[in-house]
Amino acid sequence: MWAALEILSQANFWAATIRIATPLIFGVLGALLCERAGVLNLGIEGIFVAGAMSGWLAVYLGLPLWGGVLVAALVGALFGLIHGVLTVPLGLSQHVTGIGVTLLATSIAYFGYRVAFPNVGTPPRIDAFPPLDLPLLRDVPFLGPILGQQTAFTLLAFACVIVLALVLARTPLGLALRAVGDNPEAVEAQGLSVVGLRIGAVMAGSALMALGGAFLTLSAFNAFYFGMINGRGWVCIALTVFASWRPGKALLGALLFGALDAYQLRLQTITGGAVPSQIFLMLPYLFSIAALVLLARRADYPRALMKPYFKGQR
Amino acid sequence: MIALTAPDQPDRPPHETRPLVLSLSGITKRFGSLVANDAIDLDVRAGEIVALLGENGAGKTTLMSILFGHYVADEGTVHIADAAGQLAPLPGGSAEAALRAGIGMVHQHFALAENLTGFENIVLGTVPLWRLGFGKATARAKVARLMKETGLEADLGVPVGRLSVGEQQRIEILKALYRDVRVLILDEPTAVLTPQEADGLAETVKALSKKGLAVIFISHKLHEVLALCERVVVLRGGAKVADRPTAGADRATLAELMVGREIPPRERAPATLGAPVLRLAGVDVGAPGERDRLEGADLELRGGEIIGIAGVSGNGQGALAALVAGLKAPRNGSCEIVGHAATRADPSARIGAGVGRIPEDRHRDGTIGALSVAENYVLETLAASENQRHGLLRRSAIRARAAQAIRDYDIRCPGPEAPIRALSGGNMQKVVLARVLERAPRLILAHQPTRGLDIGATTDVHRRLLAARGRGAGILLISEDLDELFALSDRIAVIHAGHLSPAMDAAGLDTRTVGLMMAGHSAEEAA
Ligand SMILES: Nc1ncnc2c1ncn2[C@@H]1O[C@H](COP(=O)(O)OP(=O)(O)OP(=O)(O)O)[C@@H](O)[C@H]1O
Ligand SMILES: [Mg+2]
């Protein structure tokens, strides 16, 4: 019992929490940006894969690390463009299109990997983002070791939270984005382009999702392999509801999920096989389901979410 | 009511010498087989206030939507004067182009984002999107000045979705005025405003028109039209049937031009009172801090009478209506509805008990846009045996009954299978009314029942409500339209800041007293 609590005092545990949470932060931010504009983006799972693969490949082929990040973002935006064009001006079902984008992006990423590396057994590794070396913070007890295990990519995630929160709350663009997810007629009547705003939001959101994938290959595992995304995208969709579409709460949700995941890993070692490990693996997902059950009923969905808008129709 | 000043303002140059700012020619718009606008020509000059009249579904909103770029005309052109006064063609189908050309529109169905505050809705799109800030201070000052000049007060700091329709209307108007426009379209701006606010708006519009603003004013309230406008253009069935100066016209002539026939007067027999259908004693609804709440309300409504509830919207009418409709439970006090104690929020129990509900906002709470007219017609009685058998809807029976209602109530629509959102506001309201009255309810909650209805439809609603009263139904009429309240009510109570006054005999009241009580004075002060 005491050992189970003691985990919470380990700097290692908190460092792992942040590491696990980082890709989710990107993912939830991306998903909430799309949904705030009124578009559900179930392409997220595939865009994670594509981001992970393309970012890693770019670095493997010689681009600097930040170049890989940029490539991943661009690839994400491209899939966002596909999803946006199909769902916004053409008004196709957002569910079906999103699943389609996930299948497409996943397949292309796997195919590209196989074409590039027809005969390798172990996935080739790259030199990933190094841990932060912060001259002053390094010596702060507890906090120092936690931050010392993170990379600059993680800082980017936190920066994105702040930037997105500010943009949504404070800028004319954020206002327009929030409005277009609530009542596109209002946006149209104020002379703004519903299609432009929505496609833009989906592209930017998808770029963020791809960064989540790229974090895994460029900062966490240093390699790309099949199945590595493992449902993280779907978790982000659930966390978006948990976050009630707010960047600050998105950060909170991602950290909570990360903490649960890090915790269950450590619990497994404590209990030493007395309890089947699958039970522990379930924990974070049970949390997601519980959060959805408790919160989704009260959730304030963007009113126009999943409702295609056609000009001149009522 | 709008102050009755002479419509021809002598301090202005005569009509013909003022420059043209807007010219529509041959505008035709079809929706499937329906011709909503039929080769309409319309010229508007600077400083002119033109009324656009017509029955529900005559095509007024459609014409204005073409002008504002929401719809694209099938035929015809729009020309608008540029800054130098030269007429230039306006590209169709772009609200952005219309705004840039100086056209502002107050939408009949508000174009507001409900998750944004009033202020945010007003400034939305007025600042380039790449900017980091708004210049909030200047924007706020401008909005504050506008509110003062126009007398249109609204809480700008809370999400618009939480405001009453009256407040939303005010914000919708402020939004259009905030952009310095040269042509202002007002599509039924006064439908939910209080008389004082409508006056204030009229004054503002007049002042602006003196400065050269051209105004197109759509309203079903003919006294406003007569007081405010110099010229009336009348549409009927999509075609322009009249274009004449207001001088020399009266309500009856205008009504006849619109409807194409005479309108029968309403008849009102003396009340024969039955058993109480609604009894409130010390009822509280809603938390004390809430805007729209009810505190210690006492009221007894009996079968066969109409009690009018007067008040500025947002003073507790919503809470009262929600209580009666079963959407909210009373927090304190006792509430008895058609013989049943109402302690819980249970809308279907209310319907079962014989409460008929005409909601304030027919789009939000009255109908489901994507469903057909027939489906909406039976929405509240799906479980009844005439609508379903063994859990399956009896489609053909439902369609036949809806078709009958369409005939009885003169609902203009393509048919029972048409989605209800394609209907004009007045016709949508008729569906709601037909649905309520079909069940011969004991208690009818009529919340702004004629909002946005044309004069023919309004008279029709009034006649039907009076007929229901004659059959013994008790009617709770919540309205901001004093004419309507006095025309229908046996007794009138005034609601202000959550407090409901005792119901007073309507015969002994005048509009001034009620107006003062609506502003918060007590009955003694007001008398
Ligand atoms: N987008 C649309 N699709 C199909 N039919 C439409 C559409 N817009 C309008 N109509 C139809 O066109 C006709 C004219 O409607 P419009 O809204 O212009 O009437 P209106 O004169 O503004 O009436 P009201 O006084 O009730 O507002 C109606 O029969 C309406 O059902
Ligand atoms: Mg209209």
Side-chain angles (χ1 to χ4, degrees), chain A residues 6-308:
Chain A
E6 212 232 296
I7 294 175
L8 297 181
S9 67
Q10 300 168 0
N12 217 332
F13 162 73
W14 292 106
T17 295
I18 295 177
R19 194 166 50 242
I20 297 170
T22 302
L24 302 180
I25 295 172
F26 283 118
V28 189
L29 289 182
L32 82 82
L33 180 55
C34 296
E35 292 181 23
R36 271 294 179 106
V39 182
L40 177 72
N41 189 353
L42 293 185
I44 184 168
E45 182 79 8
I47 293 172
F48 257 80
V49 180
M53 153 70 188
S54 59
W56 170 83
L57 188 65
V59 173
Y60 185 81
L61 294 179
L63 247 57
L65 282 165
W66 287 112
V69 172
L70 191 68
V71 166
L74 289 176
V75 166
L78 191 70
F79 283 106
L81 181 65
I82 295 174
H83 186 64
V85 168
L86 291 177
T87 55
V88 180
L90 299 180
L92 299 188
S93 154
Q94 298 184 3
H95 284 112
V96 175
T97 310
I99 303 270
V101 168
T102 280
L103 293 175
L104 177 74
T106 309
S107 314
I108 289 182
Y110 288 176
F111 180 71
Y113 181 80
R114 266 289 158 252
V115 168
F117 307 96
N119 294 320
V120 289
T122 44
R125 305 183 74 84
I126 52 155
D127 286 327
F129 276 96
L132 287 173
D133 189 18
L134 303 161
L136 281 174
L137 280 171
R138 186 173 32 198
D139 304 322
V140 180
F142 201 59
L143 209 58
I146 295 178
L147 290 178
Q149 291 189 38
Q150 310 305 330
T151 67
F153 211 153
T154 298
L155 293 189
L156 179 65
F158 282 82
C160 283
V161 173
I162 294 167
V163 169
L164 189 60
L166 284 177
V167 166
L168 280 178
R170 297 283 174 83
T171 64
L173 179 64
L175 211 60
L177 284 173
R178 284 186 282 144
V180 81
D182 184 84
N183 184 3
E185 277 92 358
V187 171
E188 160 97 44
Q190 291 287 63
L192 299 171
S193 160
V194 173
V195 171
L197 278 166
R198 286 193 163 168
I199 291 193
V202 174
M203 289 179 69
S206 302
L208 282 170
M209 295 169 183
L211 291 187
F215 175 86
L216 293 173
T217 47
L218 297 184
S219 182
F221 299 112
N222 311 352
F224 176 82
Y225 46 87
F226 295 151
M228 74 186 300
I229 302 305
N230 194 19
R232 282 184 174 82
W234 307 135
V235 169
C236 291
I237 294 289
L239 287 177
T240 308
V241 180
F242 174 85
S244 45
W245 295 270
R246 284 169 214 284
K249 283 193 176 176
L251 175 64
L252 187 75
L255 285 174
L256 248 165
F257 189 94
L260 276 165
D261 205 19
Y263 193 72
Q264 63 88 9
L265 279 173
R266 284 161 182 75
L267 264 189
Q268 277 185 50
T269 47
I270 293 178
T271 51
V275 185
S277 64
Q278 284 82 352
I279 301 275
F280 295 106
L281 282 172
M282 265 174 12
L283 278 180
Y285 299 92
L286 281 181
F287 156 74
S288 309
I289 293 172
L292 275 187
V293 170
L294 291 176
L295 296 173
R297 275 161 46 91
R298 281 188 288 129
D300 236 343
Y301 286 84
R303 265 199 317 151
L305 182 61
M306 291 192 279
K307 298 206 185 94

Side-chain angles (χ1 to χ4, degrees), chain B residues 61 108 187-188:
Chain B
T61 300
Q108 181 179 10
D187 197 351
E188 303 196 24

